[in-house]
Amino acid sequence: MCGRTALLGVSVPGCEACDQLDRTLRLAAPKLRLKAKSAVKLGQLRIESQDSPVLAKIVQGQLVPERLQTSSREYGRPPHALCPTEYIQLVASSQLTLPKLIIFKEGEALDYTGEFSKQSVIDTMLRESSRDTVQTLRTVKQAERFLHLDSWSTQHADEEKPPRVVGFFPSNRSQAYGVFRDSARKLQGLISFGECFDAAMQKKFLGAPTRKAVIQLVKADKRERKLTYSGPLAQPLLSRWVATHSVALVQDLSTESSIEALMAIGVPVFLLLIPDAYEEDLGDLIPSFRAVASRVRERLLFGYGFKDTEPWPMFAQQLGIPSSATGAFWMIVGNNMDVTGRDWSTAWLRPPSLGFQIYAMEARGKESASDVTEEKIQKFVDGFLSHVEQLGSPPWMGQWKPVEDTDEDPGDGNSFGSPIDGARSVADVAVAPDGDKLLRRRVAELQMNFNSGVALLKKSLDDLMDTPQLLPGKVPTLLSMVNTMENKLKKDLLMLKRQLMDVKYEEEKQEL
């Protein structure tokens, strides 16, 4: 799949919708073969046993999540020994969305966004096969159009203008260019990349032809029109920087789509849920949140919403916040991912669904907007990040070495030689974290989830201190909150038990 565009259908036996998708792909194949001139391949993966760890890593849990791997221990046998019926039951219990279509382009996965119909499959794959992963910008007019700097973009200021990444290079023979291309492949489902080698164009956009790589993120945000990457030249670090800086520093989460987009980036989100009464003071609150957000941006995103205004009343129920709760809520949430964020060495894919996993929360019921200070926000954020640091660095952080970007003669617009050997960043041998480290991480996550539930219950009880006459009517809500805490605690303890079983299983396997 590395040299061409491919569409992979993933299904399980005994699924009528999966069989229908298989028939659709078979009908679309001849026409695609004719129109795309064999540039597009179609394939089908039917999950009958746990035998695809490589694919599971590529899609980072989208098909075979970690909990599915550990769940097999309950059967008393390793994954490869499960019968098809047992494995399919595990797939169903893991809330996977099947059938699923995944596009592979230049060896990396990206989301299929079309419909499950013959014509939509054909149109989507023809479009993907003809689209460059990185667009080469050869003229000023082309670059201005790509960066939304042309006259059309000016005349249509209300139109959505997605952010763009552009790299300026002396040539395509440097290691820095290899890192840039790697990141473009990993993030092709999130953001568009462009490249420029022309010295005259570099002089227009940078002031002078460049002798080193210059990677910029260009956005329609008036506060952050252009950002330049200054971190280590390593693919995971560059990818994380691009993804976390592609959204506003503090995002207004007033629509369901904006909530989904921010939660899908891949790092935890500081979610500020405020009552409508704070609206007049929002202008005074935001600078404090922006100051803190700018210091932790690659580890934590920031967003706010009015908890009494749509769509938040519906999501507040998922977060366990009673409709009668007063005051603001500070919480750090994730979309069913590890507390340290996603693995940035793999391709970016949207989460299968929007879900809220609370890592930390504070209910600030008797606090007015004027009481919110930068110091209080920083203290809350530091408390969460200290928990994360106790878990240690995520495994992908130790797998990549940054490359050196040496001076080169500025390009003349024709520097398109073949990349030299080693131009692409290479991975060191990954050392899997030991069992103790994994267990410490699981215990810390359990502690954070439990503390969040206690904080919410304490907030409700504090409200009743002022209005004890409302206690009879609050009993069902309090019971529901306690039941939710109990279920979460049972789930976390079950995951801890599975982790212990995994460690024991690995130890026994090593002994053999």
Side-chain angles (χ1 to χ4, degrees), residues 165 179-180 182-184 186-187 190 193 215 217 228-246 265 267 297-299 340 342-346 393-403 425:
V165 181
V179 171
F180 179 79
D182 284 345
S183 290
K186 303 290 185 183
L187 298 181
L190 176 65
F193 281 67
I215 301 173
L217 178 65
T228 301
Y229 181 67
S230 58
L233 285 170
Q235 175 271 308
L237 301 180
L238 175 59
S239 295
R240 184 176 66 173
W241 180 86
V242 168
T244 54
H245 286 71
S246 65
I265 293 295
V267 297
R297 190 168 192 173
E298 294 185 35
R299 303 175 66 188
T340 57
R342 75 183 314 277
D343 182 350
W344 293 100
S345 66
T346 62
S393 300
W396 61 265
M397 285 290 287
Q399 296 179 16
W400 297 83
K401 289 182 178 178
V403 302
S425 52

Side-chain angles (χ1 to χ4, degrees), residues 16-78:
E16 176 55 34
C18 300
D19 294 339
Q20 177 60 43
L21 178 60
D22 184 44
R23 292 191 289 269
T24 299
L25 294 179
R26 293 180 184 277
L27 290 173
K31 196 166 186 178
L32 261 178
R33 191 180 303 115
L34 178 64
K35 288 193 170 186
K37 296 180 172 58
S38 300
V40 175
K41 291 291 185 181
L42 301 182
Q44 186 79 1
L45 173 66
R46 191 159 291 245
I47 301 178
E48 296 181 347
S49 64
Q50 177 106 4
D51 58 358
S52 185
V54 174
L55 182 65
K57 179 172 177 58
I58 288 173
V59 299
Q60 197 172 167
Q62 300 290 317
L63 299 176
V64 188
E66 180 181 353
R67 63 180 182 272
L68 184 59
Q69 299 176 27
T70 58
S71 294
S72 65
R73 307 290 187 266
E74 296 178 354
Y75 287 89
R77 297 188 300 283

Side-chain angles (χ1 to χ4, degrees), residues 240-264:
R240 184 176 66 173
W241 180 86
V242 168
T244 54
H245 286 71
S246 65
V247 295
L249 185 59
V250 179
Q251 183 77 37
D252 177 6
L253 303 176
S254 56
T255 64
E256 188 171 345
S257 60
S258 64
I259 299 169
E260 290 179 346
L262 191 67
M263 295 290 289

